[in-house]
């Protein structure tokens, strides 16, 4: 359903799709790869997208750990 935002610019997408896209890690990965492949890798784009991906990974791991601990109890 939300796979289309990788093919079209976010400015063209509906408001709801734009908001949901901010929570999709693939959006940041595609932006990162697109920047590297097309523009040669802007350091700010690289750092900001990697930071968001790392934050999402830490948050997901923390929530998973918390849920796993509850399951064991």
């Amino acid at each position: 359903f939300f796979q289309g935002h990788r093919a079209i610019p976010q400015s063209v997408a509906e408001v709801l799709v734009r908001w949901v896209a901010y929570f999709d890690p693939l959006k940041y990965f595609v932006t990162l790869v697109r920047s590297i492949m097309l523009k040669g890798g802007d350091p700010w784009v690289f750092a900001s997208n990697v930071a968001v991906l790392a934050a999402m990974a830490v948050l997901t791991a923390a929530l998973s750990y918390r849920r796993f601990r509850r399951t064991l109890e």
Side-chain angles (χ1 to χ4, degrees), residues 1 3 9-10 22 24-25 28 30-31 38 41 44-45 48-49 52 55-56 59-61 63 70-71:
F1 177 67
Q3 300 297 324
Q10 275 190 326
Y22 286 117
D24 185 7
Y28 299 100
V30 168
T31 303
L38 297 178
W44 171 249
V45 173
S48 62
N49 284 296
V52 171
M56 286 182 171
L59 179 65
T60 302
L63 291 173
R70 280 190 190 162
T71 307

Side-chain angles (χ1 to χ4, degrees), residues 12-73:
V12 179
E14 294 291 328
V15 176
L16 177 64
V17 174
R18 276 186 264 164
W19 277 96
V20 171
Y22 286 117
F23 299 102
D24 185 7
L26 195 54
K27 171 198 177 292
Y28 299 100
F29 181 73
V30 168
T31 303
L32 179 65
V33 170
R34 185 179 301 155
S35 171
I36 292 170
M37 298 297 280
L38 297 178
K39 301 175 188 171
D42 181 21
W44 171 249
V45 173
F46 181 80
S48 62
N49 284 296
V50 168
V52 171
L53 288 170
M56 286 182 171
V58 168
L59 179 65
T60 302
L63 291 173
S64 298
Y65 176 76
R66 184 176 172 195
R67 184 169 178 181
F68 181 69
R69 295 297 296 174
R70 280 190 190 162
T71 307
L72 291 179
E73 293 176 355

